[in-house]
Amino acid sequence: MTAEIISGTQVAAEIRAELKEKTAKLKADKGVVPGLVILRVGEDPASVSYVKGKEKACDEVGIYQETIVYPDDVDEKTVLDKLVELNNDPKYHGILVQLPLPKHISEDKVIDIIDPRKDVDGFHPVNVGKLLIGNPYFMPCTPAGIQQLLVRSGNDPAGKHVVICGRSNIVGKPILAIMLQKKDGANATVTMVHTGTKDTASVTRQADILIAAVGRPKVITADMVKEGVVVIDVGVNRVPDDTKKSGFRLVGDTDFEAIKEKAKAITPVPGGVGPMTITMLMWNTVNAAESASA
Ligand code: GUN
């Protein structure tokens, strides 16, 4: 069996087109333009590049966006005070603080002070708790994107055994909460494996759907999956590659080339989960504006 390739680029484009229609309708019917404010501290090149991608996506789907940039040595209070001000500014339906932050600023304090109804990252403890219960204001963007990839590629998780590799707060734990819910696009039997798991392969071999969010290159090998599995690879790992101008290439957490000969479907890296994350940020922001104007 050679796997169908689940293109995140394609699914993301489809969702962005839907969101563009929604923002146009919101404006025409209610005079509301969804607004996202991004707060960035310092000039970390990866953060600068991620934020640029978010700004571009906002422009594409019709979201008003603004980025506030602070220098690396800004004090914590300035950032927290600004977030309180933004919580109360009706122009912004979503607030995003680009992480990581410099060490002297507490990420917990920053996340805690954002109004959960504007927390389009879905990182606030209220949203984390509400996700587990099953009624979050927002789902975190990468796991929400994984759910959309599965459903829209015809691989509904209902009744399937989903095995998640990795227990991070940003991907592993929230995708577990999402897949567990008794709801459309979920209702799966869910198992999680992590660094404390004994005989990981005996568990991953049971997966109908395997979600790899480990953060290490190609650790999920073909002998660890069964024939006909659906694989979602969340990994974005840089490995040295002399044939590239940059000196590196991106690979996932799974051995794509070998697994694609065994799987029913698999996401590529890049072009799989990656393009979905920013798209779901747009989704959350448009939904926030809809809820605020309902
Ligand atoms: N830094 C890397 N990924 C993310 C993300 O999803 N949200 C925020 N706020 N910062 C990030």
Side-chain angles (χ1 to χ4, degrees), residues 34-246:
L36 175 69
V37 61
I38 301 172
L39 204 150
R40 171 163 69 75
V41 179
E43 299 297 326
D44 167 58
S47 290
V48 171
S49 156
Y50 283 139
V51 168
K52 271 203 190 118
K54 291 170 187 179
E55 291 168 346
K56 199 163 148 257
C58 283
D59 294 344
E60 187 188 326
V61 303
I63 294 173
Y64 171 75
Q65 58 82 17
E66 217 167 294
T67 301
I68 298 168
V69 181
Y70 286 118
D72 222 10
D73 60 355
V74 67
D75 60 303
E76 188 182 80
K77 186 171 182 310
T78 303
V79 174
L80 295 176
D81 288 350
K82 176 53 88 177
L83 287 168
V84 172
E85 183 190 316
L86 296 170
N87 280 342
N88 294 312
D89 187 337
K91 201 163 60 258
Y92 301 118
H93 304 93
I95 301 173
L96 181 139
V97 179
Q98 186 65 28
L99 303 175
L101 291 169
K103 294 259 179 302
H104 67 280
I105 302 178
S106 157
E107 288 189 356
D108 284 347
K109 278 192 202 165
V110 162
I111 290 170
D112 285 359
I113 211 162
I114 297 172
D115 180 343
R117 288 177 191 266
K118 293 193 174 187
D119 166 41
V120 283
D121 255 332
F123 291 168
H124 192 285
V126 165
N127 280 319
V128 175
K130 284 174 76 64
L131 179 63
L132 198 58
I133 293 166
N135 65 349
Y137 297 125
F138 306 103
M139 294 199 280
C141 301
T142 301
I146 292 170
Q147 183 182 38
Q148 287 300 315
L149 274 180
L150 286 170
V151 171
R152 290 179 186 241
S153 64
N155 294 294
D156 194 313
K160 299 283 164 50
H161 186 183
V162 175
V163 176
I164 299 160
C165 308
R167 55 181 154 187
S168 70
N169 288 332
I170 290 185
V171 183
K173 287 178 193 167
I175 193 66
L176 180 143
I178 292 169
M179 290 289 113
L180 268 184
Q181 300 301 325
K182 196 170 179 178
K183 286 187 177 178
D184 288 348
N187 215 14
T189 300
V190 190
T191 307
M192 177 174 280
V193 295
H194 47 74
T195 49
T197 302
K198 287 193 178 130
D199 196 5
T200 297
S202 71
V203 184
T204 55
R205 274 188 215 114
Q206 296 173 40
D208 300 315
I209 297 173
L210 184 116
I211 300 173
V214 183
R216 278 183 289 132
K218 297 188 180 189
V219 287
I220 309 293
T221 49
D223 60 307
M224 295 171 72
V225 299
K226 73 177 178 191
E227 201 69 48
V229 66
V230 173
V231 175
I232 304 288
D233 191 337
V234 189
V236 190
N237 307 292
R238 285 182 175 193
V239 296
D241 185 340
D242 292 341
T243 69
K244 302 274 178 202
K245 216 167 102 189
S246 61

